């Protein structure tokens, strides 16, 4: 079997980052300073005058929800419909995550599990949904900025070591950049807590602003138009219909999902779905031809 390794090439990826800080540290204002923001607000913090003015100035809009499923629908629409927005902001994700934990516990209530938290099952259910959300965010052809409340980070003997994000515990593993935001007076500072980028060395501190991020990350990437990349509902319907009509091996579907790093059809790239539809249609024609041949052979 031939080796399948290839020479790596530099890929210019969309900005995907997590920012956290105490209340009033300036996370929201920093986030909506990015180009064409689509703000999913979970605390109605945008209603203050300075936020309204900034969102309008940057050609953005606001959608308010505290429900996980509602959030997921909105992100899927952003991934499949034409729109002018370039930066998705969820501010803060903490609210939606906490609500999801509570709902997962409520869904699991029973006489044997009166509060729904037995064996941590509510966290397992929550983590499964959060992984689906993160997978969609990573595939979304937009800048993605997630903000979170902060909480104390404890060490030996409950000594406070500093601050960390107050949300899904694996959230920081999934993003290229994690910033802790501080504010003193009008000065806003970012501390790089995690980075996969040489232009943002870990433990670096810098005056946090969109201009500084653009200088380090590349303004041409941050300000390019978003494109529709994920499968449409029409594609999903057609694929499912074709699969029902032909004899088909589930293992092949699993291979398609694995190759695309997807868990369901709505996470599949649009181009991949076009290829799958073409393949299924050709297989449908083949199956019909074989059936006709079998009938003709049986009547001879």
């Amino acid at each position: 079997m031939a080796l399948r390794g290839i020479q790596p090439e530099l890929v210019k990826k969309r900005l995907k980052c997590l920012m956290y800080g105490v209340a009033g540290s300036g996370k929201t204002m920093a986030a909506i300073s990015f180009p064409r923001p689509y703000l999913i607000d979970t605390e109605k913090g945008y209603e203050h005058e300075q936020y309204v003015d900034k969102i309008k100035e940057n050609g953005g809009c606001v959608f308010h929800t505290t429900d996980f499923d509602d959030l997921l629908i909105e992100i899927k629409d952003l991934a499949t419909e034409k729109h002018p927005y370039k930066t998705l902001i969820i501010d803060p994700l903490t609210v939606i995550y906490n609500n999801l934990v509570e709902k997962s516990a409520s869904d699991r209530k029973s006489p044997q599990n009166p509060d729904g938290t037995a064996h941590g099952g509510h966290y397992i259910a929550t983590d499964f949904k959060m992984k689906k959300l993160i997978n969609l965010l990573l595939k979304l052809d937009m800048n993605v900025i997630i903000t979170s409340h902060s909480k104390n980070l404890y060490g030996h003997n409950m000594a406070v070591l500093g601050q960390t994000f107050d949300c899904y515990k694996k959230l920081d593993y999934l993003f290229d950049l994690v910033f802790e935001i501080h504010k003193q007076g009008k000065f806003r500072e970012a501390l790089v807590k995690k980075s996969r980028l040489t232009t943002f060395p870990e433990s670096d501190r810098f005056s946090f602003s969109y201009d500084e991020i653009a200088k380090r990350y590349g303004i041409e990437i941050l300000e390019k138009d978003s494109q529709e990349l994920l499968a449409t509902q029409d594609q999903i319907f057609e694929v499912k219909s074709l699969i029902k009509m032909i004899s088909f091996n589930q293992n092949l579907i699993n291979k398609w999902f694995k190759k695309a790093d997807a868990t369901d059809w709505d996470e599949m790239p649009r181009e991949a779905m076009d290829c799958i539809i073409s393949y299924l249609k050709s297989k449908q024609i083949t199956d019909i031809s074989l059936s006709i041949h079998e009938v003709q052979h049986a009547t001879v």
Side-chain angles (χ1 to χ4, degrees):
M1 181 176 176
L3 295 175
R4 290 170 287 180
I6 60 173
Q7 287 290 320
E9 294 183 2
L10 183 64
V11 177
K12 292 185 176 181
K13 297 166 60 180
R14 287 288 199 176
L15 174 71
K16 312 284 181 178
C17 81
L18 166 66
M19 336 194 269
Y20 65 90
V22 299
S25 60
K27 302 182 296 295
T28 302
M29 182 58 75
I32 61 177
S33 297
F34 280 71
R36 294 275 184 176
Y38 194 95
L39 173 63
I40 297 182
D41 174 78
T42 67
E43 291 182 324
K44 292 194 174 179
Y46 74 92
E47 294 177 343
H48 298 290
E49 183 179 353
Q50 69 270 30
Y51 298 145
V52 171
D53 291 344
K54 195 65 175 178
I55 292 168
K56 288 181 177 179
E57 176 188 333
N58 286 345
C61 70
V62 179
F63 174 73
H64 175 74
T65 187
T66 60
D67 179 74
F68 177 84
D69 292 331
D70 215 16
L71 169 70
L72 208 63
I73 290 170
E74 203 68 16
I75 293 171
K76 287 178 182 178
D77 287 344
L78 284 168
T80 56
E81 296 181 8
K82 277 191 172 295
H83 60 78
Y85 306 107
K86 301 180 180 182
T87 306
L88 170 66
I89 303 160
I90 305 176
D91 181 48
L93 184 58
T94 304
V95 174
I96 285 179
Y97 176 73
N98 289 341
N99 287 348
L100 182 58
V101 171
E102 290 181 9
K103 184 177 185 302
S104 297
S106 178
D107 290 345
R108 293 177 58 80
K109 285 182 179 179
S110 68
Q112 296 75 31
N113 186 13
D115 65 358
T117 64
H119 309 296
H122 60 311
Y123 280 114
I124 294 172
T126 298
D127 288 357
F128 177 80
K129 289 192 173 184
M130 288 300 295
K131 288 175 183 176
K132 184 174 182 63
L133 168 65
I134 298 302
N135 207 25
L136 278 172
L137 292 175
L138 293 176
K139 292 173 181 291
L140 183 65
D141 186 34
M142 297 175 69
N143 309 313
V144 175
I145 300 174
I146 304 297
T147 76
S148 169
H149 294 166
S150 64
K151 64 180 181 180
N152 287 338
L153 177 65
Y154 294 98
H156 183 63
N157 290 330
M158 297 301 291
V160 177
L161 303 178
Q163 297 286 302
T164 188
F165 58 92
D166 184 12
C167 199
Y168 173 50
K169 63 182 180 180
K170 294 184 178 180
L171 193 60
D172 60 334
Y173 295 166
L174 303 162
F175 292 102
D176 292 333
L177 289 170
V178 179
F179 299 134
E180 183 178 357
I181 309 299
H182 301 272
K183 188 179 180 184
Q184 294 181 342
K186 293 183 178 180
F187 180 71
R188 186 182 298 114
E189 179 186 70
L191 170 62
V192 182
K193 301 294 289 186
K194 175 203 166 175
S195 174
R196 296 191 182 109
L197 306 174
T198 57
T199 51
F200 293 91
E202 287 192 18
S203 300
D204 184 30
R205 294 177 181 270
F206 62 93
S207 178
F208 190 79
S209 67
Y210 171 68
D211 290 340
E212 180 63 23
I213 298 290
K215 183 173 71 175
R216 294 178 178 223
Y217 200 87
I219 194 169
E220 73 284 354
I221 303 173
L222 296 176
E223 299 194 357
K224 75 172 186 176
D225 292 334
S226 62
Q227 299 176 12
E228 305 156 54
L229 289 180
L230 297 188
T232 65
Q233 289 303 308
D234 287 344
Q235 286 179 315
I236 294 170
F237 177 80
E238 186 169 10
V239 164
K240 289 182 176 180
S241 299
L242 286 166
I243 287 173
K244 285 181 180 178
M245 289 189 289
I246 60 180
S247 55
F248 204 70
N249 190 335
Q250 180 64 36
N251 289 334
L252 185 54
I253 296 177
N254 294 338
K255 287 181 180 179
W256 289 338
F257 284 167
K258 184 176 180 180
K259 185 175 181 180
D261 191 23
T263 59
D264 208 340
W265 294 112
D266 60 1
E267 296 175 15
M268 291 290 286
R270 188 166 301 185
E271 290 184 3
M273 289 292 277
D274 284 337
C275 295
I276 290 169
I277 289 169
S278 296
Y279 170 79
L280 292 173
K281 285 181 175 178
S282 67
K283 188 169 183 2
Q284 183 185 32
I285 293 171
T286 301
D287 285 357
I288 292 172
S289 298
L290 289 173
S291 298
I292 293 173
H293 177 74
E294 289 170 359
V295 172
Q296 289 173 337
H297 183 73
T299 56
V300 173

